[in-house]
Amino acid sequence: MSEPWEDDELDGPVRKFMYVNRRAPYGTIYALESLEVVLIAAAFEQDVSLVFMDDGVYQIKKGQNTEAIGVKNFSPTYRALEGYDVEKLYVEKESLESRGLTADDLVVPVQVVDRNQLAELMEEQEVILSF
Amino acid sequence: MKLSILVNEGPYQHQSADSAIQFTKAALAKGHEIFRVFFYHDGVNNGTRFAVPPQDDRNITEEWTKLAKENDLDLVICIAAAQRRGILDENEAKRQGKDGDNIAEGFRISGLGQLIEAGIQSDRLVIFGD
């Protein structure tokens, strides 16, 4: 099912990519289009990690129902990430706590890290994309 | 240094579009290589030749076209984001059964893989967005 624009070359070194999701899932398109980047990027076999912080933690909250706003609920797609070998999911502890959430409220298993640990993880990255 | 640029916001609506072009000019003037400029989210709107800003204002799309011509820049518009927002080249217009295309000279439409490749191949990926 290859489209002409998907014939990208896979050469070059493996780099550490981090995708930082900071915004609520609906209201703007950033969260959805960020997820689209992550799914495409998976084909490049890079060292990928995802971060959810600030209102971005709502992107992976359980029990989303978007019927009333007429927008597609894309939260089930996050559960497919494992199948794409995207397994390093980090959630900022402070962002969860300030919103009254815990890891049990999320649709995917994540590693909860505090702000300082997250800063260290960011320090290790080569490419950081923030949405 | 080998740089790539990601533009995430539309022209005139947001400073990012201006900052990206100013940064690109400055980087070229300092002798840096620009591997690619990638347009995503509303950033794809930088690549329509149908925009007609007031004559006493800057024309961001024309600035990109000129800069690309002078420096052989690779200006890539994300196809998925472009389809949502109605940015089409001739091939896409044909493929989607649309009655015209609007992509500006010097831009091309391609996939998100081009962004990832830019991240892999460049020393720095510099992002302009909200």
Side-chain angles (χ1 to χ4, degrees):
Chain A
M1 228 183 68
S2 168
E3 302 278 3
W5 59 84
E6 286 171 350
D7 295 339
D8 296 299
E9 290 179 21
L10 295 175
D11 60 346
V14 172
R15 304 193 83 177
K16 290 171 86 74
F17 277 72
M18 176 179 273
Y19 299 89
V20 183
N21 297 289
R22 294 177 292 125
R23 291 185 177 88
Y26 312 103
T28 66
I29 201 168
Y30 297 106
L32 174 63
E33 288 193 332
S34 164
L35 187 55
E36 288 180 350
V37 175
V38 172
L39 293 173
I40 297 287
F44 284 75
E45 293 170 350
Q46 301 295 300
D47 182 347
V48 170
S49 41
L50 258 64
V51 172
F52 298 89
M53 58 181 287
D54 299 340
D55 277 350
V57 299
Y58 289 125
Q59 293 177 22
I60 50 172
K61 192 185 171 305
K62 280 180 188 164
Q64 296 180 28
N65 181 350
T66 57
E67 209 182 320
I69 57 169
V71 176
K72 187 180 164 189
N73 173 5
F74 58 91
S75 63
T77 312
Y78 294 100
R79 290 204 295 263
L81 287 173
E82 201 186 353
Y84 287 82
D85 292 326
V86 178
E87 287 162 340
K88 287 187 237 173
L89 273 60
Y90 302 101
V91 174
E92 195 205 44
K93 184 169 172 277
E94 289 85 349
S95 301
L96 273 184
E97 284 175 351
S98 63
R99 287 163 183 79
L101 299 172
T102 70
D104 291 338
D105 295 310
L106 307 176
V107 294
V108 280
V110 298
Q111 211 174 317
V112 178
V113 293
D114 68 28
R115 196 159 285 174
N116 292 328
Q117 290 169 308
L118 191 54
E120 283 169 26
L121 284 168
M122 286 181 170
E123 198 63 43
E124 294 168 8
Q125 304 303 314
E126 290 169 290
V127 182
I128 299 183
L129 291 120
S130 174
F131 293 96
Chain B
M1 204 180 259
K2 195 195 282 187
L3 304 172
S4 283
I5 312 293
L6 174 59
V7 186
N8 282 337
E9 298 293 338
Y12 316 108
Q13 172 82 10
H14 202 290
Q15 174 67 32
S16 298
D18 290 284
S19 296
I21 198 162
Q22 286 158 10
F23 179 90
T24 303
K25 283 179 188 168
L28 287 165
K30 286 275 182 193
H32 296 291
E33 178 192 344
I34 303 293
F35 177 76
R36 178 168 295 148
V37 183
F38 193 85
F39 297 87
Y40 197 47
H41 298 310
D42 276 356
V44 300
N45 292 320
N46 285 283
T48 170
R49 67 171 190 271
F50 282 4
V52 188
Q55 286 200 350
D56 58 354
D57 198 0
R58 71 231 184 272
N59 186 318
I60 294 177
T61 302
E62 283 179 3
E63 281 185 41
W64 277 120
T65 296
K66 184 165 171 273
L67 201 60
K69 199 178 279 181
E70 288 167 357
N71 300 279
D72 199 21
L73 295 183
D74 187 20
L75 308 181
V76 181
I77 291 175
C78 169
I79 188 160
Q83 283 175 340
R84 280 197 179 98
R85 296 164 177 86
I87 306 293
L88 300 158
D89 62 11
E90 204 183 335
N91 281 338
E92 264 304 288
K94 212 170 282 174
R95 235 171 59 90
Q96 306 294 343
K98 298 295 180 185
D99 59 7
D101 67 84
N102 58 351
I103 194 168
E105 188 188 344
F107 290 79
R108 66 187 178 95
I109 291 180
S110 190
L112 277 166
Q114 300 274 306
L115 169 63
I116 308 304
E117 191 200 20
I120 295 169
Q121 299 293 342
S122 309
D123 296 313
R124 296 280 189 282
L125 175 64
V126 185
I127 304 177
F128 295 87
D130 198 12

